[in-house]
C-alpha cells in the first residue's frame, strides 16, 4: 500500500511540474501512445538556418546505430586487456557468452563451428539489445518546433518492431545458407535438389525456401510490434481535463497515469519476450544454415 501511494504521489508531482512548464514556457509535451509508436517517426532537422537542407532522422535508424555503437564499445572494453592467467570479470562474462553461443547455436557445425560463432553471437546480441531498447522510451525525447512552440515527444523505439529490420536480418541468413549451398553442391546441384524427391515437388520446395526468411522475420516483428502497441496503450492512459478543472483552467497539460507503473510491461514485453524472440530467431537461423552445411564436412 505504501509503495502504491508513493507511485501516486510521484505521478502527481511530475504531472504538476510538466503542467507548469507547459503553461508558462513555450514548451509542450506529447505523451507516448499507439499513434506515435506504431509507425516509425522521422524527424527532419534543418542543418543551416534559412536553407532547405534537412537531415531526416528515423527512429529505426537511430535505434540501430545506438545498438551497434553500444556493442562495439562493450567489445572494445571487454577485449582491451585479455589475459589467460588473470582474466578480468568482463572477460569471463564474454568467455561464458562465447561458450553459450558455441553450445547452443553451432554445436552440430563440426569444422565450421569457429567460423560461424562470431556471426551468431553478433546476431543474438544485436536482436536482444534492440528488443531491450524500448526501456529507454520515456527517457529519450525528440524536439520539434510547431506553431512557435517546442514540442517534446518520446522518440526511442525498438528497431525489431520495424519490418525492414527483421526482413533485413532474415535476408542475411538467406544469403549465407544459399552461399553455403552453392559452394557445397554448386548452383545446378542446389537447383536439382529442389526437384527432389520428384519434379512435381518443385513449387512446394521453392515455397519452403521462401518461407524460411518470412517465418523468422514475421515472428520477431509480430511479437515486438505487439509489445509496442500494448505499451502505447498503457502510456496513453491519461486525462486532459483533471489539471484544468482542478486549477480553474489556469494550468494546461495532460495528466498521465502511466509515469511509473508501465515498467512492469517493459519487463515482460521487452526483457522476457525480447530475450525469447532473440533466442528463437537465432536458433532458427542456425538450423537453416546447419541444414545446408550438413555435418560440417568439407
Amino acid at each position: 500500500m505504501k509503495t502504491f501511494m508513493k507511485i501516486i504521489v510521484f505521478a502527481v508531482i511530475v504531472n504538476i511540474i510538466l503542467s507548469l512548464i507547459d503553461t508558462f514556457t513555450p514548451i509542450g509535451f506529447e505523451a507516448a501512445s499507439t499513434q506515435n509508436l506504431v509507425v516509425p517517426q522521422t524527424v527532419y532537422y534543418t542543418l543551416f538556418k534559412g536553407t532547405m537542407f534537412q537531415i531526416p532522422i528515423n527512429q529505426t535508424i537511430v535505434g540501430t546505430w545506438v545498438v551497434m555503437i553500444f556493442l562495439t564499445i562493450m567489445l572494445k572494453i571487454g577485449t582491451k586487456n585479455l589475459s589467460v592467467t588473470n582474466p578480468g570479470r568482463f572477460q569471463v562474462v564474454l568467455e561464458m557468452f562465447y561458450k553459450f553461443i558455441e553450445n547452443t547455436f553451432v554445436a552440430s557445425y563440426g569444422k565450421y563451428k569457429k567460423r560461424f560463432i562470431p556471426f551468431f553471437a553478433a546476431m543474438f546480441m544485436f536482436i536482444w539489445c534492440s528488443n531491450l531498447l524500448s526501456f529507454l522510451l520515456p527517457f529519450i525525447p525528440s524536439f520539434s518546433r510547431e506553431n512557435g512552440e517546442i514540442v517534446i515527444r518520446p522518440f526511442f523505439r525498438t528497431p525489431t518492431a520495424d519490418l525492414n529490420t527483421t526482413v533485413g536480418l532474415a535476408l542475411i541468413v538467406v544469403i549465407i545458407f544459399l552461399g553455403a549451398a552453392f559452394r557445397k553442391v554448386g548452383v545446378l546441384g542446389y537447383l536439382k535438389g529442389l526437384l527432389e524427391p520428384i519434379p512435381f515437388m518443385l513449387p512446394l520446395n521453392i515455397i519452403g525456401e521462401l518461407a524460411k526468411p518470412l517465418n523468422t522475420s514475421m515472428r520477431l516483428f509480430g511479437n515486438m510490434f505487439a509489445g509496442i502497441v500494448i505499451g502505447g496503450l498503457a502510456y496513453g492512459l491519461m486525462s486532459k481535463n483533471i489539471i484544468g478543472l482542478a486549477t480553474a483552467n489556469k494550468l494546461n497539460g495532460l495528466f498521465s497515469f502511466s509515469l511509473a507503473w508501465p515498467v512492469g510491461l517493459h519487463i515482460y514485453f521487452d526483457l522476457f519476450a525480447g530475450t525469447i524472440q532473440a533466442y528463437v530467431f537465432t536458433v532458427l537461423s542456425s538450423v537453416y544454415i546447419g541444414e545446408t552445411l550438413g555435418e560440417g564436412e568439407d
Side-chain angles (χ1 to χ4, degrees):
M1 188 63 180
K2 290 183 179 180
T3 302
F4 178 75
M5 291 303 298
K6 289 180 180 179
I7 293 175
I8 296 297
V9 172
F10 172 79
V12 171
I13 293 174
V14 172
N15 275 285
I16 291 176
I17 294 174
L18 296 179
S19 180
L20 291 172
I21 295 174
D22 194 350
T23 304
F24 298 106
T25 67
I27 298 176
F29 299 94
E30 183 177 318
S33 64
T34 53
Q35 184 177 359
N36 55 29
L37 289 178
V38 170
V39 179
Q41 301 177 45
T42 300
V43 179
Y44 295 90
Y45 286 97
T46 303
L47 189 60
F48 302 104
K49 278 189 175 183
T51 64
M52 298 296 292
F53 184 76
Q54 293 181 321
I55 301 176
I57 301 180
N58 183 271
Q59 284 177 304
T60 301
I61 296 175
V62 172
T64 302
W65 275 96
V66 167
V67 172
M68 291 191 298
I69 293 172
F70 171 77
L71 292 178
T72 302
I73 293 174
M74 290 297 100
L75 285 176
K76 284 289 185 180
I77 295 174
T79 58
K80 188 175 181 180
N81 297 311
L82 295 179
S83 175
V84 178
T85 57
N86 188 26
R89 294 181 180 179
F90 202 179
Q91 180 181 337
V92 172
V93 172
L94 291 178
E95 290 176 356
M96 292 173 62
F97 177 71
Y98 182 93
K99 287 295 182 183
F100 165 73
I101 298 296
E102 182 181 16
N103 297 330
T104 306
F105 303 120
V106 295
S108 61
Y109 274 42
K111 295 181 179 180
Y112 301 115
K113 183 181 294 185
K114 290 185 178 180
R115 186 175 299 179
F116 281 93
I117 287 178
F119 170 72
F120 288 116
M123 171 179 285
F124 178 82
M125 286 304 299
F126 174 78
I127 297 174
W128 187 58
C129 290
S130 297
N131 294 345
L132 297 181
L133 207 60
S134 289
F135 271 107
L136 300 176
L137 172 66
F139 308 107
I140 308 297
S142 67
F143 303 86
S144 61
R145 186 176 292 275
E146 300 176 9
N147 299 322
E149 183 183 46
I150 299 175
V151 179
I152 301 175
R153 55 173 61 92
F155 188 72
F156 256 19
R157 180 180 186 273
T158 171
T160 46
D162 190 332
L163 195 58
N164 294 294
T165 300
T166 58
V167 170
L169 292 171
L171 288 178
I172 292 174
V173 177
V174 170
I175 292 172
I176 290 177
F177 77 67
L178 285 179
F182 292 162
R183 185 166 183 175
K184 186 174 182 181
V185 298
V187 177
L188 294 178
Y190 176 78
L191 296 177
K192 183 179 178 181
L194 296 176
L195 299 173
E196 296 178 354
I198 55 176
F200 180 75
M201 296 295 293
L202 176 63
L204 293 178
N205 289 334
I206 293 177
I207 293 174
E209 293 299 299
L210 295 177
K212 291 177 180 179
L214 183 64
N215 172 39
T216 53
S217 60
M218 292 303 295
R219 175 185 281 107
L220 177 59
F221 164 74
N223 280 274
M224 302 315 299
F225 184 76
I228 284 284
V229 172
I230 296 175
L233 292 173
Y235 278 105
L237 294 176
M238 66 188 69
S239 174
K240 298 183 179 180
N241 300 321
I242 290 181
I243 295 179
L245 292 174
T247 61
N249 295 322
K250 292 181 180 179
L251 294 180
N252 303 324
L254 305 172
F255 187 93
S256 177
F257 295 96
S258 56
L259 291 171
W261 64 267
V263 68
L265 295 177
H266 282 296
I267 291 175
Y268 177 78
F269 288 108
D270 298 327
L271 180 58
F272 179 70
T275 302
I276 291 177
Q277 292 308 314
Y279 178 83
V280 170
F281 189 98
T282 312
V283 164
L284 292 176
S285 300
S286 68
V287 170
Y288 297 150
I289 297 174
E291 288 176 351
T292 305
L293 294 175
E295 298 298 326
E297 298 176 356
D298 291 332

